Amino acid sequence: MSVAQAKIVIVDDHPLIIQGLTAMLQEHSQFVITASFTRGLEFMSYLREHAVDVVILDISLPDCNGMDICKEIKALAPQTRVIALTNHNERSLIMQMLQNGANGYLLKNASSEELLAGILQVLNGQLSFSKAIEEIITQPTVYERDPLPKLTRRELEVLKLIAAGETSLVIADQLCVSPLTIETHRRNLLQKFRVRNVAELIKISYQLGLLA
């Protein structure tokens, strides 16, 4: 697509970030900042009435999750390019944003050159990443190197109840087994996923799509 006067919207809950990005992008005649928002839902209302070529979107917003907003943007206006601009560099967040349709993922410490190049890349139908993000997403995870752990039906049931915050006593009561049996399942799950605690177990289970 032509990048002449590409319409850009900035969605970030920090006004100083918006001001800085606006000042930087206004120096380039091929871009026009048509609006900016500190809340995601306000932007979605705007998008229903206006064409947007690129939205620069923070993941952490006061009224909603940027990952959810990204998915909504793509459902409402598939032609709108979404560049995540955030401080979050967790692989799970990066992959979720891409799964939800993001065209680029840049860190807020990216240089102005990286951001400008990123906008041009997504306008030309390419994906764009900060150098640091490229390194993260090209590095295979443990579960991409090795087979995924195989869970029994009962282990999956226990996993889902653990993720729901239930104690071993409550899980044992629901599944009509002894608390000792549930503790054994807990230990087996930690071993199979090679994690140290329940928090890590739940996190990796969400990443792998085992928990809805």
Side-chain angles (χ1 to χ4, degrees):
M1 70 177 291
S2 170
V3 298
Q5 287 289 290
K7 299 181 180 69
I8 298 177
V9 174
I10 302 166
V11 183
D12 194 294
D13 64 337
H14 292 93
L16 282 176
I17 295 288
I18 291 176
Q19 290 172 19
L21 289 173
T22 299
M24 182 187 74
L25 294 173
Q26 282 178 338
E27 295 179 3
H28 300 269
S29 59
Q30 68 265 50
F31 306 135
V32 55
I33 308 299
T34 55
S36 61
F37 301 91
T38 57
R39 293 179 175 272
L41 297 181
E42 292 175 357
F43 167 67
M44 290 307 300
S45 295
Y46 175 89
L47 185 61
R48 291 184 182 92
E49 304 293 334
H50 302 83
V52 176
D53 294 316
V54 179
V55 54
I56 300 174
L57 176 69
D58 194 1
I59 289 179
S60 299
L61 296 169
D63 61 336
C64 58
N65 184 309
M67 291 185 289
D68 295 334
I69 287 292
C70 179
K71 194 171 186 177
E72 290 182 31
I73 292 168
K74 287 298 180 175
L76 178 65
Q79 76 284 357
T80 297
R81 275 70 164 176
V82 179
I83 296 178
L85 184 65
T86 177
N87 288 318
H88 296 290
N89 63 356
E90 296 92 338
R91 182 188 174 93
S92 58
L93 295 183
I94 299 166
M95 303 312 290
Q96 187 62 56
M97 279 297 288
L98 294 177
Q99 188 176 330
N100 287 0
N103 305 91
Y105 198 109
L106 306 176
L107 295 179
K108 285 187 175 178
N109 62 4
S111 66
S112 57
E113 289 78 12
E114 273 187 299
L115 178 59
L116 291 171
I119 294 172
L120 292 173
Q121 283 175 323
V122 301
L123 284 169
N124 285 317
Q126 301 169 286
L127 294 176
S128 178
F129 307 105
S130 294
K131 289 180 181 177
I133 297 302
E134 279 186 358
E135 291 176 7
I136 292 169
I137 62 178
T138 55
Q139 199 70 15
T141 66
V142 170
Y143 295 101
E144 290 168 331
R145 292 193 296 267
D146 301 323
L148 294 179
K150 291 183 179 179
L151 302 183
T152 65
R153 181 181 59 80
R154 180 48 58 91
E155 283 173 339
L156 187 56
E157 285 178 328
V158 171
L159 175 62
K160 290 180 177 179
L161 290 168
I162 290 172
E166 303 292 1
T167 66
S168 291
L169 286 173
V170 171
I171 296 172
D173 185 57
Q174 287 191 28
L175 300 182
C176 300
V177 297
S178 74
L180 184 60
T181 299
I182 299 304
E183 286 301 320
T184 301
H185 284 312
R186 280 179 180 267
R187 286 195 301 273
N188 289 343
L189 285 166
L190 294 177
Q191 277 187 337
K192 284 189 174 185
F193 285 91
R194 285 169 292 178
V195 293
R196 295 165 297 179
N197 53 52
V198 168
E200 290 182 4
L201 173 65
I202 293 172
K203 179 180 177 182
I204 196 65
S205 296
Y206 271 110
Q207 286 178 252
L208 296 172
L210 296 172
L211 300 172

